[in-house]
Amino acid sequence: MTAPTARPYNFSAGPAVLPEEVLREAAAEMLDWHGSGMSVMEMSHRGREFISIYEQAERDVRELLAVPEHYRILFMQGGGLGENAIVPLNLSHRLPEAKVDFVITGSWSQKSHKEARRYCDAQIAASNEGVGAANHTAMPAPSGWQLRDGLSYVHICSNETIHGVEFAQWPDLQSLGCDAPLVVDCSSHILSRPIDWSRVGLAFAGAQKNIGPAGVTLVFVRDDLIGHALSVCPSAFDYQIVAANQSMFNTPPTYAIYIAGLVFQWLKRGGGVAAMEARSLEKSTLLYDTIDNSDGYYVNRVAPDCRSRMNVPFFLHDESLNEAFLAGARQHGLLQLKGHKSVGGMRASIYNAMPLDGVRSLVGYMREFAARHG
Ligand SMILES: *Cc1c(COP(=O)(O)O)cnc(C)c1O
């Protein structure tokens, strides 16, 4: 393989940076996968070549996240927002009252709640919505959640990509006296920490943040939660049908699954989820320390124990310098740092594939910029 040339560091929130090694592997295999004479894009999803790619990817992600045997892993389409409808279509009428509670922690859980209301009695058990700069800046403590009885499930977003708040621990609903399954949208921090499956009924993640290309959505679902879909649920989105067909009821996003599989292999070579967690802690600590030690030049408003290790929003104290900051960053090979339009300021997304050197480079630039424009 050719020696890596210096590519810029890409801090996009998603679709996001992929490991350079994976991109090079995919490039080398583009025209001829393992002597098959075909690109992965050209293969039948039912042929033995693609089946082997699929089975390896599933085995690897099961191993990386220690997914127990009684959970199915589905490779679906429709993205995170698709699951906002697919989950209630499959799960909300598990119990006849069709009651579902949501914990609102930022834009993504808000969207999930709004979509679920089309299918069931979806209410808000807790929210961190605030006014102005205090909006979505701390996770509501589970002890204060107003969970109803007889819920089909409880939905949370474990890492809010836009607001940069993250659950350091996923809640243990049983200890709160709630026996409903927990549904987790973990799109933007999957594979950056281990998952305690005893607390989870279903977890889903769009791939384009921490797994691979947009187009494939991973769904981890406990066996007993399969088989409750509404009759209007599209067959291609019915977990029972998808599971019974090994995610091949219809043609799956084959190339996206292949790249995800290369990322899983890369993760395994790099020490797995435990290594990613240690590295994420190191990278995010470096960035938050730089912000906190800048004498207010840079500000992050999230409560320290709720700060995301993946998505770091921050503001310049003098917002008239935003454009100069971004232009200088691009010149330094630091791309896509502009904050989400609903929050403003800057956002650095530092997913698994962002090397520590990328964050070192960013904080070096931030210090230099602050010194020059003090
Ligand atoms: C990006 C993201 C989504 C949206 O995924 P789509 O693939 O665009 O539907 C959902 N949830 C979270 C937490 C995200 O970060």
Side-chain angles (χ1 to χ4, degrees), residues 37-157:
M38 296 178 278
S39 169
V40 175
M41 271 181 269
E42 303 171 306
M43 289 173 182
S44 165
H45 57 297
R46 306 205 185 276
R48 67 185 159 81
E49 294 90 352
F50 184 74
I51 296 284
S52 75
I53 290 170
Y54 174 84
E55 287 178 346
Q56 185 72 48
E58 188 192 336
R59 262 199 309 280
D60 286 341
V61 73
R62 190 179 283 282
E63 182 186 326
L64 282 162
L65 284 170
V67 183
E69 281 306 315
H70 62 294
Y71 286 72
R72 295 299 301 260
I73 303 177
L74 312 177
F75 290 77
M76 297 184 66
Q77 299 185 65
L81 293 189
E83 289 304 318
N84 283 349
I86 295 168
V87 172
L89 278 164
N90 276 275
L91 256 59
S92 66
H93 285 67
R94 205 174 60 83
L95 301 176
E97 299 85 7
K99 291 191 294 186
V100 177
D101 277 1
F102 282 74
V103 177
I104 302 300
T105 51
S107 300
W108 291 112
S109 47
Q110 256 164 351
K111 280 187 208 251
S112 301
H113 172 241
K114 194 165 167 226
E115 183 74 9
R117 278 166 40 196
R118 305 175 58 193
Y119 304 102
C120 56
D121 167 13
Q123 291 195 17
I124 295 175
S127 171
N128 67 352
E129 202 168 341
V131 180
N135 200 26
H136 305 305
T137 48
M139 287 301 197
S143 55
W145 297 1
Q146 303 288 313
L147 297 167
R148 294 177 289 169
D149 290 330
L151 294 169
S152 286
Y153 63 89
V154 175
H155 177 113
I156 65 165
C157 175

Side-chain angles (χ1 to χ4, degrees), residues 78-81 108 157 159 161 185 187-188 208-209:
L81 293 189
W108 291 112
C157 175
N159 183 68
T161 321
D185 174 0
S187 296
S188 52
Q208 70 271 28
K209 314 292 165 59

Side-chain angles (χ1 to χ4, degrees), residues 5 35 53 72 147 161 190 238 259 278 307 340 362:
T5 49
I53 290 170
R72 295 299 301 260
L147 297 167
T161 321
I190 187 170
D238 181 330
I259 299 285
R307 285 174 164 180
H340 189 272
L362 172 61

